[in-house]
Amino acid sequence: MSELRFDNQTVVVTGAGGGLGKAYATFFASRGANVVVNDLGGSFKGEGTSNKAADVVVEEIKAAGGKAVANYDSVENGEKIIETAIQAFGRVDILLNNAGILRDVSFKNMKDADWDLIMKVHVKGAYKCARAAWPYFRKQKYGRVINTASAAGLFGGFGQANYAAAKLAQVGFTETLAKEGLKYNILVNVIAPIAASRMTETVMPPDVLESLKPDWVVPLVAVLVHSSNEIETGSIFEVGGGHVAKIRWERAKGALLKTDSTLTPGAILKRWKDVNDFSEPEHPQGTANFMEKLEEGLKLS
Ligand code: NAD
C-alpha cells in the first residue's frame, strides 16, 4: 500500500509544542499537510505561557521543507486557532484536539481551581475548537476530528478525579459529534493514548518510557483522519507502545423485572446474578437497543 498522504489539507494540532502534539504536527507536515501548530506554552500544570514551544516546532517543520504556522492561543479560544488555519491556508480539514494539562491531587484536597482549570482546558477547549471548525467541515462536506481521552477517564486514576471526568467527557462528546457529523462526512474518533512525555516522565521508569514514544501513537491517528477512512467514526481506541485496540461497551444479560409493586430492592437482589452475568454479553451502540428491552419489560407488566 502506498503511504498515506495529506497534500493540500490543513491539519490543526492543539498542544503541538511537545509530546504527542509535536509528533502529530511533524508527521502530518512530512506527509504534505499544512499544519497549524497551536500551543499556549505553559507548564504541564497549566501555569504560564510562552510562544517558544510552538515556534520551535514550526521552525523544525519548515527546516524539513514542510508548511506550518504557529498559534499561541489557549484552546479555550478555539475560534482564534481555526481562524489562524483559515488565514494562513484558506481551509481546515482535520482537527486533533490534543492539548492538555494535569492538576493531580487527592479528592480530599482538591480545590475548585484544580477542577475548573482541567474542565476549561480539556472539555471547553475541545468544544471550542470543534465548534469553530464545524461550519467549515459541514460546508465542504469533509472533516476529521480526533479527541483525546485517557485510561484515567475510562477506568479512573488515583488523584485524578478532575482529569478522569474531563477525559471521559471526550467520549460522550465524540459519540455525539460522530452521530451529528456522519451526514456531512465528518468522522470523529477518540483515543486513549499512552506515551512518554513531560506528563508521564515523572510517573514511569525510563526503560518503560523508552518503549512508549509518541511516534507509536501517530500511525493510528493518521489512519483515522485520512480520506480513505470512510466508515470508522464514534470509536474509542487504546493506543501506545505498539498496542492498538478498540474499546467498547459491554452489557450483561441483566434482569427484566415487572414494573409494579414487586419491583423492590429484594427483587433486584434475587436477580443479582443475572444483573452481573457477562456470559452472553451484548455490545450496545445506542439507546435504541435499550428501548427494545424496555418494550419487552412492558409486556411482562
Ligand atoms: P504534553 O504536556 O507533552 O503536551 C500537551 C501540550 O498541550 C503542551 O505542549 C502544552 O503546552 C499544551 N497545552 C496545555 N494547555 C493548553 C491550552 N490551554 N491551549 C493550548 N495548548 C495547551 O503532554 P502529552 O502527554 O503529549 O499529552 C497530549 C494529550 O494526550 C493530552 O490531552 C493528555 O491528557 C493526553 N494523554 C496523554 C497520555 C500520555 O501517556 N502521555 C495518556 C493519556 C492521555
Side-chain angles (χ1 to χ4, degrees), residues 120-138:
K120 261 201 227 170
V121 174
H122 293 272
V123 183
K124 190 167 183 197
Y127 155 67
K128 288 289 274 183
C129 293
R131 185 66 192 87
W134 206 250
Y136 295 99
F137 289 164
R138 275 176 57 124

Side-chain angles (χ1 to χ4, degrees), residues 14-21 38-44 46 53 73-76 81 97-102 121-122 148-151 163 167 192-200 204:
T14 70
L20 284 162
N38 157 264
D39 208 291
L40 185 64
S43 75
F44 80 91
D73 287 293
S74 169
V75 281
E76 295 153 69
I81 303 172
N97 272 327
N98 165 79
I101 54 164
L102 287 175
V121 174
H122 293 272
T148 309
S150 161
Y163 182 76
K167 286 308 198 184
I194 179 146
S197 75
R198 64 181 190 170
M199 257 192 200
T200 47
M204 288 183 193

Side-chain angles (χ1 to χ4, degrees), residues 53-100:
D55 284 345
V56 167
V57 176
V58 168
E59 286 318 312
E60 209 174 290
I61 289 173
K62 284 188 175 162
K67 287 162 282 175
V69 290
N71 171 285
Y72 316 113
D73 287 293
S74 169
V75 281
E76 295 153 69
N77 302 314
E79 67 283 358
K80 293 193 179 155
I81 303 172
I82 300 303
E83 204 177 294
T84 297
I86 302 301
Q87 273 175 5
F89 304 118
R91 58 185 299 123
V92 55
D93 302 280
I94 296 168
L95 168 64
L96 307 182
N97 272 327
N98 165 79

